[in-house]
Amino acid sequence: MGVDNSLQLDSFCKNFKVVVNKLSEDEMEFDMIGIDAALANAFRRILIAEVPTMAIEKVFFLDNTSVINDEVLAHRLGLIPLAVDPRLFDDLSENDVPNERNTLVFKLEVSCEKGGPRRTVKSDQLKWLPNGSELPMELRNPSGNQKGYTSFSCSQASLPELSKNPPRVKHGDIIISKLGPGQAIELEAHAVKGIGKTHAKWSPVSTAWYRMLPEVVLLKEVRNEDAEGLAAKCPTKVFDIEDMGKGEKRAVVVNPRACTLCRECIRGGGEDLVELRRVKDHFIFTIESAGALPPEVLFTEAVKILEGKCERVISELS
């Protein structure tokens, strides 16, 4: 078909570049140029499913008389984004004891007085417990010494990396439940490290997606009334009118990046005037962070994970 789809390392190193177009606290848009679609998609999948975060995994209920049952309430708590760097924590396996290096503990205690107005329970009412769980563990042997659900050797508040930026919920206005008069919620929530492949609550992004750079080509010169009609068709203002003097005008492509490939420009006889293409090695990538880490840090972590995968493959092959 006259298209070279081969991937040469020298060519990749020479042509590949990343251009950041927009960067905010929770969102980043950048161009990846000179990269194969498979690699772009690998970054997308890693961002969604393999970059670890912290999320609430276990909820211990002491009291819940709200209209939401325990299971649903625990699920809602798990989906609340936590603003804490997961790189500061270790993974918690089945045989590990929850400690200050692998577990975060939050407490929620809210009630609505009888005869009072209804009360809304929001995520900012989750309070961090730096000393670990305050609940005694129930033992089958009553004569045994009671233990807590966590075993902290020190307060997390004494750790420099956590004392400077205490763990908290990312958004304090998330509604957890609503309480009527006489209802109450008292619980303890334990957050651990995990990945989105296990459960979506550990996904660090609300979305990560890309699109190929549109290429809009005028097949012939479009002038005067035809040019104005073409410019008016496009809802994203890809075309503009250029004054050529002596009352002559022509259409020009000024913003191909804004093209959504809606094909309005080629409807009604425009097939002979405009051709819509995509640049096969130019991807417009967008990352929207859920709040645990900034988007630029998430992409860096995704690169490290992909690098680790490549090293494991090379090690196995050698």
Side-chain angles (χ1 to χ4, degrees):
M1 297 179 64
V3 178
D4 182 14
N5 286 318
S6 62
L7 180 62
Q8 302 296 330
L9 181 60
D10 294 340
S11 176
F12 174 79
C13 294
K14 180 180 179 182
N15 298 322
F16 176 70
K17 61 180 178 179
V18 175
V19 179
V20 178
N21 302 308
K22 183 172 65 175
L23 178 61
S24 64
E25 182 182 359
D26 295 321
E27 184 176 354
M28 178 171 68
E29 180 185 286
F30 59 95
D31 288 14
M32 284 198 294
I33 305 168
I35 195 171
D36 188 71
L39 285 174
N41 194 48
F43 286 128
R44 182 189 68 84
R45 291 174 63 94
I46 290 172
L47 280 164
I48 292 173
E50 297 187 53
V51 176
T53 61
M54 300 291 288
I56 292 173
E57 170 69 356
K58 292 183 179 180
V59 180
F60 300 91
F61 287 92
L62 279 75
D63 187 16
N64 178 23
T65 53
S66 69
V67 296
I68 302 179
N69 60 42
D70 294 356
E71 292 81 2
V72 176
L73 190 56
H75 183 263
R76 290 176 67 84
L77 290 169
L79 294 174
I80 296 175
L82 302 178
V84 57
D85 192 340
R87 296 172 296 181
L88 303 176
F89 292 86
D90 301 327
D91 293 311
L92 177 66
S93 66
E94 293 182 1
N95 299 323
D96 290 337
V97 177
N99 57 49
E100 71 279 2
R101 288 295 179 181
N102 57 30
T103 303
L104 280 172
V105 181
F106 294 89
K107 183 178 181 179
L108 178 64
E109 186 174 359
V110 189
S111 61
C112 182
E113 295 181 0
K114 293 183 178 180
R118 295 180 64 86
R119 185 171 181 181
T120 300
V121 183
K122 295 187 177 181
S123 53
D124 61 356
Q125 293 171 284
L126 280 166
K127 304 303 179 184
W128 173 47
L129 299 179
N131 295 318
S133 176
E134 297 177 347
L135 304 179
M137 182 179 289
E138 296 179 1
L139 297 179
R140 293 182 179 179
N141 182 8
S143 61
N145 295 325
Q146 286 191 327
K147 300 179 181 178
Y149 284 93
T150 58
S151 180
F152 282 22
S153 61
C154 65
S155 172
Q156 289 178 327
S158 66
L159 303 176
E161 57 271 21
L162 292 179
S163 61
K164 295 177 181 178
N165 189 18
R168 57 181 176 83
V169 296
K170 175 63 178 177
H171 306 287
D173 58 350
I174 298 175
I175 296 177
I176 298 174
S177 180
K178 291 188 177 182
L179 300 180
Q183 295 179 344
I185 296 175
E186 185 178 358
L187 58 84
E188 198 174 84
H190 294 197
V192 298
K193 190 174 180 178
I195 58 175
K197 187 184 293 185
T198 304
H199 193 284
K201 66 184 177 184
W202 279 299
S203 181
V205 295
S206 54
T207 184
W209 60 280
Y210 63 84
R211 63 188 179 100
M212 300 172 77
L213 178 70
E215 185 178 15
V216 183
V217 180
L218 292 175
L219 301 176
K220 61 176 72 172
E221 198 169 72
V222 184
R223 295 197 174 196
N224 301 327
E225 293 182 0
D226 291 338
E228 292 178 351
L230 179 62
K233 279 183 178 180
C234 181
T236 57
K237 308 300 180 185
V238 171
F239 304 98
D240 199 3
I241 304 299
E242 183 181 63
D243 191 354
M244 301 174 63
K246 297 182 181 181
E248 292 290 315
K249 301 177 182 178
R250 69 174 180 180
V252 292
V253 180
V254 293
N255 191 15
R257 187 186 185 90
C259 180
T260 60
L261 302 176
C262 66
R263 303 173 66 87
E264 282 294 329
C265 57
I266 63 176
R267 289 191 174 95
E271 297 90 346
D272 299 331
L273 303 178
V274 182
E275 184 176 355
L276 302 178
R277 307 171 185 167
R278 294 181 179 89
V279 182
K280 69 173 186 176
D281 63 346
H282 190 144
F283 298 90
I284 303 171
F285 212 104
T286 304
I287 300 174
E288 293 183 10
S289 171
L293 292 173
E296 67 273 19
V297 176
L298 289 177
F299 184 70
T300 304
E301 292 299 308
V303 173
K304 293 178 182 178
I305 291 173
L306 183 59
E307 182 182 6
K309 289 174 177 284
C310 295
E311 290 176 351
R312 286 195 295 272
V313 171
I314 293 172
S315 176
E316 291 292 333
L317 291 176
S318 60

